[in-house]
Structures are given as structure tokens and as C-alpha cells.
Amino acid sequence: MDEARDKRDGIARGFERLAAAETRLAGSALSAADRETLARLRSDIAAGLVLLLSRADGCISRAEMAAAAAPLKLVLPANVIGRLPAAARLAALELVALAEAVSAGLVVAQAAAPQNEKPRRRQGRPRLELVIP
């Protein structure tokens, strides 16, 4: 129980770090390409954090999490950081550190041994039965 609470607290801190970096980036003058690249990284980090939270709560299986995490790109090209103004560069470095933490968390969550994990059943249509008195 404490382990699950610690995971949720760590994920909550990740969301707080993401919000702080977004606030710092909002005031910076960025090119359209850099703004788009950073927006993509922020959305992938947020998606990764949601996946980790869902996995910690037991709402998603390892296979579903792996499939959802596959399209995420949790890296920032090095040339982008070099082009950014100083204030935006600090926020981008914070995003890179957060992306690495999320990426590591996803790897650990996927590699963790399943604890009585059962395949999820899809809800089918209810069966109608004829009862003859």
C-alpha cells in the first residue's frame, strides 16, 4: 500500500515539474519549430505520466501499457537545446530530465513481474435465454 502511494506521489511530483517547466517556457520567445518540438515532448511526458499512474492504480495491463508507450518520443534533439534562449534552455533541460525519468519508469513498469495479472475480458452482449415454463 505504501509503495503504491509512493509511486503516486512521485508521479504527482512529475506533473508538478512538468507544469513548472511549461510556465517557464510560456514566457520565452521561441521559433515555431522549437515551440512545436517542445510541445510534443511535453505531451509525451504527460502521456507517460498518465500511463505510469494507470499502471500504479492497476487500471492497465503491461501489454496495454507497452502498446500505448510505443509511440511516445521522450527525447529532445541536442540541436534544439543549443538554439534556445537561456531561460528556455533551463526549462528544456528540466523537461529532458523529466523525460528520462518517465522513460525509466515505463521500462521498470513493463519489466516488473506481474502480480496475478489476468487478461482483461471485453464486455460482450448479454445472452438471451428462452425459458419455457
Side-chain angles (χ1 to χ4, degrees):
M1 186 85 145
D2 290 334
E3 183 179 335
R5 189 173 339 117
D6 290 342
K7 284 182 184 179
R8 281 190 222 103
D9 289 345
I11 294 168
R13 281 191 298 276
F15 278 115
E16 291 169 1
R17 289 174 59 191
L18 180 61
E22 286 176 342
T23 302
R24 280 190 234 126
L25 283 172
S28 301
L30 302 172
S31 69
D34 291 343
R35 187 173 303 281
E36 183 178 326
T37 301
L38 290 171
R40 169 66 191 213
L41 180 62
R42 289 190 315 259
S43 68
D44 285 351
I45 290 170
L49 288 170
V50 168
L51 286 173
L52 289 172
L53 185 61
S54 297
R55 184 67 185 142
D57 288 343
C59 299
I60 190 170
S61 70
R62 287 184 326 151
E64 291 171 329
M65 187 181 73
L72 299 180
K73 294 182 181 174
L74 295 169
V75 294
L76 185 65
N79 63 346
V80 172
I81 293 176
R83 293 190 304 243
L84 297 174
R89 190 174 303 146
L90 291 174
L93 290 173
E94 177 67 21
L95 286 175
V96 168
L98 185 55
E100 289 174 355
V102 168
S103 181
L106 289 171
V107 168
V108 167
Q110 289 175 7
Q115 297 174 356
N116 299 332
E117 186 174 304
K118 297 178 184 174
R120 298 177 76 193
R121 295 179 128 186
R122 295 194 185 256
Q123 196 86 18
R125 290 189 289 181
R127 293 184 182 173
L128 298 177
E129 296 181 17
L130 292 176
V131 178
I132 300 173

